Every structure is written in structure tokens, then in C-alpha cells.
Amino acid sequence: MKTQLLSAQCSTDLTQAAELLKAGEQVAVPTETVYGLAADASNPDAVAGIFTAKGRPANHPLIVHLGDVASITEWATPIPDEAYKLANAFWPGPMTLLLPRAEHISPVVTGGLDTIGLRVPAQPVLLDLLATHQLAVAAPSANPYKKLSPTTAEQVMHGLGGKIAAVIDGGPCQHGLESTIVDLTKRPFRVLRAGPITASELSAVLGETVDAPEQHDTVVPGNVGSHYQPNTRLQMVAADLSDLSAPHPEKRAALLHFGDAPTRDDLVCIAMPDDAARYGQALYHQLAQADQLGVDEIWLAQPPHGEAWLAVHDRLRRAVS
Ligand code: TXA
Ligand code: MG
């Protein structure tokens, strides 16, 4: 299959993307977090095609992306008041709400679970596409299973070119890390995946504490220990680079560091931003770049800790080899 590269700036391209989706094809779409691999969420065969293209196990649940808050009633029931409080505060935006699924939802979408993840994305072109064509799309990140999530259309092509109908190029993603997933099906409410919106921000809106365990015990297919991995072996190194010994003489390494660039000719040095949001935005992109250098190892200087860095550390824990 030839994967078409469509432009988010071109209305005929966007009409074509909507037609492909309605015809049951898989189309990669930009979101404000990472690129998603979308298919019509009301068409189980179309959704099944996502799993084939990604090589993803069939029991891993997908997030359904909606064009507006009101549509959640078609996908989830019952809906607690807290869902609307959070939706009104953070949607469109990088937050996925886990709710009890409506009875008619195909198990293909939810991996057979009785809950469903819903989100209204803040990427204007995607949002307009969903709202104008009355579409809801199931969309995991648009990467082959376990690999790095793409934050550019080029990166999607690199991983899934030839396996999907089209990619809409909407430029680099604003956040660069996947959405915060909040479980509203049990009390206390919990963050199941750290993301751009922190537990403190969620708690402030609800007026009650939303837990954010560093590692939670909810066994969900898809929340796997090794994930988001570059092909090259990735290791964390101490933030203080002065002690860093040179790689084995036959090995070449790339170093993702922040702060002042170390002057070392034994390493390919890649500078990272030093605030959490910009670091998160750059992370997958820079790992993907380093992956293509043909080095033997990627070294990553340990980033700072603290709530703003939780999502970064969550992804890094799963990315190290
Ligand atoms: O930012 C994002 O959330 C991106 C963009 C494309 O929206 N999507 C994304 O999807 O990251 P995916 O499939 O790569 O990751 C979704 C995670 C998986 O770990 C999955 O197990 C979990 O969400 N998930 C989805 N539905 C769930 C459910 N009903 N219960 C528990 N976990 C669920
Ligand atoms: Mg993913």
C-alpha cells in the first residue's frame, strides 16, 4: 500500500482524509500530544486494522477521540459530575478520562474491558475534522508496537509508511508526550499515566486529591514496562557529566544532555531544553534522531525530578534497555 502524505493546510486533503476514515481506512493524524493512528471508532473492522498496522496485541484498549464534550454520552455511562468538571477545565486538551463504557461499544475498541478512555484533542485541524464530519476516532500513538511515539509526520512515515492509507502532516506536536490518563471509575481518582496535565492541576479543579502513584498496580494491557523504545540501546547516566567515562573504544555513543554543552569528541552531543515542558516536547524527536545516527548506544543525562518531570521520567523508565 502506498501511504499518502496529506497536508493539514489543504482543505481537499482534509476532505480526502475524512473520506478515507469513513471508508474504514487507517489515517495517522496530528494531535497536540503525539501523532495518533486513527480509525472510525464506530467501525470494528476499521479499528481492527489499527492493531494490524501497529503489530499491537488485540487486548490493548484504545482511546476514543471526540469532536466535543457533549459526545461523551454516546461512549460512556454513567458519567460522574467530576468528568464534566475536568472536561470543562481541560478539554480540548491532553487529558484522557477513563469512564465506564456504554453497553454498545465494541470490545475491539476497549480490548474487552468495561471501561473506555475518551479525549477531546486540542489540535485545531483534527478537532475540526472530527466535529465537521461527526466522526469519533479510536487512535493509539502512530508507532509500531513498543517503539517511540511519533511527534512529526516524517516519523510516522518512518514507522508505518506502506502500512496505512495516509498521514496528515500538521507539523511537530505541541506537547510531544502522550496525554495524562485519569481513572474516574474508582475512588480515589488516580492518574494512570502521567502527562502534560499534573495531578495537582486535576485536584485543584475537583477540590479533592487525585492520586498520582509513580508506578501503579492497575494491570492494564498496554501499560507495559518496556515501551517507547528506540532501536539503539538507551542508558541513563548521572546528570553530572564530569565523571562520565568514555565509551568502550570500539563503541560510539550519542549523549542527550542539558545545560552547557560538554566539549567531548568521543561522544555525539545533543542538547536538550532544561524546562520540563520543552524537554518533553523534544524527547521523542531527539531520541528518534539519535537512533538514526548509527551509534552503538544512546546515553541520557538524568533529568531533574519533581511533579513537572513525572511524565518524562515515566517514559524514560520504559525506554531504557
Ligand atoms: O496522547 C495520547 O493519549 C495519544 C494521542 C494519539 O491521543 N494516544 C495514546 O494512545 O497514547 P496509546 O494507545 O498509545 O496509549 C493509550 C494508553 C495505553 O497504555 C492503554 O492501555 C491505556 O491508554 N488505555 C486505553 N484505554 C484504557 C482503558 N479502558 N483502561 C485502562 N487503560 C486504558
Ligand atoms: Mg502508545
Side-chain angles (χ1 to χ4, degrees), residues 274-295:
D274 57 9
D275 80 275
R278 287 193 303 122
Y279 187 102
Q281 203 266 340
L283 181 62
Y284 290 143
H285 178 71
Q286 293 298 6
L287 285 175
Q289 297 290 106
D291 214 11
Q292 283 164 33
L293 291 173
V295 293

Side-chain angles (χ1 to χ4, degrees), residues 33 56 61 63 65 98 115 119 140-141 178-179 181 193 220-222:
T33 58
R56 174 171 167 131
I63 296 169
H65 298 67
L98 221 63
T115 56
R119 130 171 155 85
S141 50
E178 298 83 350
S179 61
I181 302 182
R193 180 177 68 186
V220 182

Side-chain angles (χ1 to χ4, degrees), residues 54-282:
K54 279 184 61 105
R56 174 171 167 131
N59 63 346
H60 287 202
L62 301 178
I63 296 169
V64 175
H65 298 67
L66 307 169
D68 54 42
V69 176
S71 310
I72 63 177
T73 54
E74 292 164 35
W75 298 87
T77 184
I79 299 172
D81 289 346
E82 288 86 352
Y84 287 105
K85 283 191 190 157
L86 292 178
N88 291 332
F90 299 113
W91 278 349
M95 173 185 73
T96 296
L97 295 181
L98 221 63
L99 295 166
R101 70 164 168 81
E103 209 161 312
H104 67 276
I105 308 299
S106 164
V108 180
V109 174
T110 63
L113 299 175
D114 51 16
T115 56
I116 188 163
L118 299 174
R119 130 171 155 85
V120 177
Q123 209 286 350
V125 170
L126 173 61
L127 196 57
D128 191 53
L129 187 81
L130 298 178
T132 308
H133 298 274
Q134 303 264 296
L135 269 166
V137 294
S141 50
N143 50 291
Y145 182 53
K146 290 204 170 183
K147 296 297 176 191
L148 292 172
S149 302
T151 57
T152 62
E154 188 191 10
Q155 192 62 29
V156 177
M157 277 292 190
H158 183 73
L160 294 178
K163 296 185 173 163
I164 60 176
V167 181
I168 302 175
D169 187 351
C173 299
Q174 180 197 343
H175 293 292
L177 292 180
E178 298 83 350
S179 61
T180 305
I181 302 182
V182 197
D183 184 357
L184 295 183
T185 66
K186 287 192 234 37
R187 280 208 138 88
F189 299 143
R190 277 188 314 170
V191 169
L192 292 188
R193 180 177 68 186
I197 295 173
T198 64
S200 306
E201 291 172 300
L202 299 166
S203 305
V205 167
L206 293 182
E208 69 179 89
T209 303
V210 176
D211 284 352
E214 275 233 353
Q215 267 156 319
H216 62 79
D217 54 5
T218 312
V219 183
V220 182
N223 179 33
V224 287
S226 65
H227 211 134
Y228 314 112
Q229 293 189 326
N231 295 316
T232 315
R233 192 173 132 78
L234 177 69
Q235 286 193 65
M236 287 279 222
V237 298
D240 175 7
L241 300 172
S242 56
D243 289 344
L244 197 62
S245 51
H248 189 273
E250 271 113 65
K251 284 194 171 173
R252 291 205 324 128
L255 170 69
L256 273 61
H257 67 91
F258 49 88
D260 292 335
T263 42
R264 300 186 51 142
D265 14 337
D266 54 342
L267 298 170
V268 184
C269 292
I270 299 174
M272 295 295 288
D274 57 9
D275 80 275
R278 287 193 303 122
Y279 187 102
Q281 203 266 340

